[in-house]
């Protein structure tokens, strides 16, 4: 991963997750995911948010995109979790995966053993986000990656 990773310059601007971004996410999810879940209440839908590598998070922090990204995914998660037949899993906090760079072929694509871990976790209902705790989950993850020591 490090061979193909070009560390971005530090940016001092902050992207803001605003009403326009919320509207775009809401419309997209309502049209492409939520509508389908509502039409088929007899089906259980399972979605997951994959574990991105330590290098990915370094780039997000250095380019001032971490807050925006976490706010967006938290907002999207909240919308998805309004549906009783949608299960949502997230692996952002699995630093045992994300900090082991041999688990990745680049900053976001992981090897087969990570896929096995994800599959097992979903089967065992681990890493599942809940309506009442998803926001605190993303707040914790945001702090985790902001405070992480990115020493290559």
């Amino acid at each position: 991963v490090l061979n193909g990773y070009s560390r971005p310059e530090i940016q001092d601007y902050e992207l803001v997750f605003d009403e326009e971004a919320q509207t775009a996410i809401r419309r997209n999810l309502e049209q492409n995911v939520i509508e389908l879940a509502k039409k088929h209440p007899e089906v259980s839908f399972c979605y997951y948010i994959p574990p991105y590598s330590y290098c990915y998070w370094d780039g997000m922090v250095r380019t001032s995109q971490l807050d925006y990204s976490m706010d967006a995914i938290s907002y999207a998660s909240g919308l998805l979790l309004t549906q009783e037949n949608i299960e949502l899993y997230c692996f952002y906090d699995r630093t045992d995966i994300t900090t082991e760079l041999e688990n990745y072929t680049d900053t976001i694509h992981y090897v087969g053993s990570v896929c096995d871990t994800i599959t097992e976790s979903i089967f065992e209902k681990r890493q599942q986000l809940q309506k009442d705790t998803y926001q605190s989950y993303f707040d914790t993850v945001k702090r985790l990656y902001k405070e992480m020591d990115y020493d290559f």
Side-chain angles (χ1 to χ4, degrees):
V1 172
L2 287 178
N3 289 338
Y5 180 61
S6 178
R7 202 164 191 208
E9 295 296 320
I10 295 175
Q11 303 293 320
D12 59 359
Y13 65 88
E14 217 37 60
L15 294 173
V16 177
F17 184 65
D18 58 14
E19 190 174 320
E20 183 179 346
Q22 288 180 4
T23 299
I25 288 172
R26 183 178 35 77
R27 285 181 180 160
N28 186 319
L29 288 176
E30 285 175 351
Q31 179 181 352
N32 297 306
V33 180
I34 294 171
E35 185 177 311
L36 183 64
K38 285 180 177 179
K39 283 183 181 177
H40 297 282
E42 75 284 1
V43 175
S44 293
F45 294 88
C46 179
Y47 298 98
Y48 74 95
I49 304 163
Y52 296 136
S53 78
Y54 175 74
C55 292
Y56 171 85
W57 295 112
D58 175 60
M60 295 299 281
V61 170
R62 293 178 67 84
T63 59
S64 299
Q65 295 180 59
L66 182 66
D67 287 341
Y68 181 92
S69 177
M70 285 295 160
D71 292 347
I73 198 70
S74 178
Y75 179 73
S77 296
L79 293 173
L80 293 173
L81 292 171
T82 63
Q83 302 306 302
E84 294 297 319
N85 59 336
I86 291 180
E87 291 181 4
L88 182 61
Y89 297 83
C90 189
F91 295 86
Y92 282 176
D93 65 334
R94 291 290 305 268
T95 56
D96 60 312
I97 297 172
T98 62
T99 60
E100 296 298 326
L101 297 181
E102 64 272 2
N103 285 332
Y104 294 87
T105 58
D106 59 33
T107 60
I108 61 172
H109 295 102
Y110 45 82
V111 297
S113 60
V114 173
C115 188
D116 294 341
T117 299
I118 290 169
T119 304
E120 290 170 11
S121 295
I122 291 171
F123 179 77
E124 295 172 358
K125 304 273 189 208
R126 289 182 281 124
Q127 300 298 128
Q128 187 174 6
L129 298 179
Q130 303 295 329
K131 283 188 250 189
D132 57 341
T133 59
Y134 77 92
Q135 185 63 55
S136 64
Y137 173 86
F138 287 111
D139 290 343
T140 299
V141 169
K142 187 189 303 188
R143 274 192 309 279
L144 170 71
Y145 287 108
K146 275 187 175 183
E147 296 170 2
M148 187 169 278
D149 180 19
Y150 298 97
D151 186 23
F152 297 124

